[in-house]
Amino acid sequence: MKPIALSGHSRSLTQIKYNREGDLLFTVAKDQVPSVWYSHNGERIGSYEGHNGTVWCVDIRHDSKMMITGSADNSCMLWDVQTGDKITALETKSAVRCCGWSYSGNQIFFSTDKAMGQISELFLYTLADINKPDGGRAEPYLRIPSEESKITAAIWGPLDETIITGHASGHIMQWDAKTGELKVKKRPHRDQVNDIQMSPDGTHFITASKDNFGMLFNLYTLEILKTYKTERPVNSATISPLKDHVILGGGEDAMTVTQSSGKVGKFHAQFWHKIFQEEIGQVKGHFGPINTLAFHPSGKQYASGGEDGYVRIHNFDPSYFEFEFEIGSMP
């Protein structure tokens, strides 16, 4: 499996996302400039100029016409994907940590950090309000405060009815996207939730946490379905649309590595069997922790973005598709 290494960012990656068809890969990093690439050959198509700080999050509308990005420059921006033009900039009072398009493509949310005297909040807007010249003055139709702990990851729930948030405290919460009411609250993780990604069929989701665990949850009840225990902080986790596999990526950051012994870093991507919770393989390559992972919608490729500033696109060999997990014979 020979990877394609994309070196368009000068600083570490924060998030990568494929569009719905999988022909485009969108990447954001700490260097302020979101980029878009062809996923089949790694050619950079263009970049989006406008942010003045680390870009923490990116999401693409289902028709690939518009994109939102959230940044540490206290703004969430709406972009025209094809032209690279900025449509709207929504100003906030602290850094924007995560953002997402609803399934219908008619709403967006973004969350802000607990900083500068502000509490962490979730803001929900309709596309009709922000997709116009004076959209920056639009008011959110819902604000959900998270006073206990900072929201660090979030996704829309089924039918755009709920939003699931992961928190710095290890909590996972489910909110009503129409009223803002807290419906379910659990604390499965002992440390910060770094990433939440939905399964392709929309029935479950996976979390990645600083407490060295990845976990699979029921989307409706937030019940834990599966647990994947690793030996290092997990920064990102993604679910295969083709096989019963999940990939976890992470690694000790530079500061922690100096204080620990043994195998330094552990910067490889780990493949786990989704059902049997067994590790089935590893892919090395990054020179630092993996910050973000994404499966291609076909399941025939995955991409990883690292602290080293590289995005690596991996196309699976035929042997990957022939591999069948052997279940041990019962005694």
Side-chain angles (χ1 to χ4, degrees):
M1 191 162 70
K2 195 169 187 297
I4 307 170
L6 317 182
S7 61
H9 290 285
S10 57
R11 295 188 60 200
S12 48
L13 273 292
T14 50
Q15 194 168 32
I16 58 176
K17 286 250 176 94
Y18 286 97
N19 66 341
R20 191 172 174 183
E21 288 76 31
D23 58 329
L24 303 177
L25 179 65
F26 294 81
T27 61
V28 293
K30 292 184 178 175
D31 63 1
Q32 312 175 8
V33 186
S35 294
V36 58
W37 317 71
Y38 283 124
S39 62
H40 66 281
N41 62 2
E43 179 189 341
R44 179 145 81 161
I45 306 165
S47 54
Y48 300 84
E49 307 274 344
H51 279 298
N52 296 313
T54 294
V55 185
W56 286 117
C57 59
V58 61
D59 200 21
I60 302 88
R61 197 165 183 258
H62 59 70
D63 58 6
S64 303
K65 287 183 178 167
M66 287 186 241
M67 166 178 94
I68 49 172
T69 54
S71 167
D73 65 5
N74 297 3
S75 73
C76 177
M77 291 188 182
L78 176 70
W79 306 83
D80 183 310
V81 167
Q82 192 171 354
T83 63
D85 296 335
K86 179 172 69 181
I87 300 170
T88 301
L90 296 163
E91 302 294 327
T92 60
K93 291 188 174 152
S94 60
V96 177
R97 180 65 51 174
C98 48
C99 58
W101 284 98
S102 65
Y103 185 77
S104 65
N106 294 331
Q107 298 108 340
I108 66 157
F109 77 74
F110 61 82
S111 78
T112 57
D113 275 359
K114 183 177 178 178
M116 300 188 286
Q118 304 295 322
I119 59 166
S120 179
E121 276 190 283
L122 205 57
F123 294 81
L124 284 80
Y125 289 82
T126 61
L127 178 60
D129 286 345
I130 60 173
N131 187 18
K132 51 189 181 187
D134 63 343
R137 293 204 294 273
E139 287 295 315
Y141 70 85
L142 188 61
R143 288 173 71 160
I144 303 174
S146 170
E147 294 177 24
E148 287 180 38
S149 85
K150 182 174 93 173
I151 297 168
T152 50
I155 54 168
W156 283 91
L159 303 176
D160 304 344
E161 288 173 353
T162 55
I163 290 178
I164 288 121
T165 56
H167 296 254
S169 58
H171 281 92
I172 305 267
M173 301 186 196
Q174 186 187 71
W175 308 86
D176 188 302
K178 292 183 177 63
T179 64
E181 174 198 354
L182 178 60
K183 297 176 84 172
V184 189
K185 176 180 176 182
K186 298 202 170 175
R187 188 168 183 244
H189 289 290
R190 294 189 301 278
D191 209 332
Q192 177 171 311
V193 178
N194 289 324
D195 191 19
I196 299 179
Q197 291 196 28
M198 176 92 81
S199 67
D201 66 0
T203 59
H204 51 285
F205 65 91
I206 193 166
T207 59
S209 170
K210 206 172 167 184
D211 67 1
N212 302 6
F213 281 88
M215 290 185 186
L216 205 67
F217 292 85
N218 179 310
L219 192 62
Y220 298 89
T221 62
L222 304 196
E223 170 196 356
I224 299 173
L225 303 174
K226 302 289 174 186
T227 305
Y228 314 101
K229 186 180 188 315
T230 73
E231 298 159 14
R232 70 260 161 97
V234 187
N235 294 335
S236 190
T238 184
I239 302 172
S240 168
L242 191 64
K243 295 178 85 74
D244 284 328
H245 295 169
V246 299
I247 310 178
L248 307 182
E252 303 273 358
D253 58 26
M255 195 171 70
T256 332
V257 166
T258 56
Q259 301 160 2
S260 59
S261 59
K263 274 192 191 168
V264 173
K266 302 190 174 69
F267 304 138
H268 45 259
Q270 291 183 330
F271 282 72
W272 289 72
H273 196 285
K274 184 165 82 175
I275 312 299
F276 300 117
Q277 305 170 71
E278 296 276 346
E279 190 181 342
I280 52 178
Q282 296 179 349
V283 176
K284 295 184 171 65
H286 283 285
F287 297 108
I290 294 172
N291 290 340
T292 172
L293 287 163
F295 249 111
H296 189 280
S298 70
K300 297 178 179 177
Q301 179 192 89
Y302 85 94
S304 55
E307 191 71 23
D308 55 8
Y310 280 90
V311 178
R312 298 172 76 89
I313 295 176
H314 303 79
N315 286 297
F316 293 118
D317 296 330
S319 58
Y320 170 81
F321 304 106
E322 292 155 13
F323 169 78
E324 290 298 331
F325 187 76
E326 296 289 329
I327 305 167
S329 54
M330 297 294 284

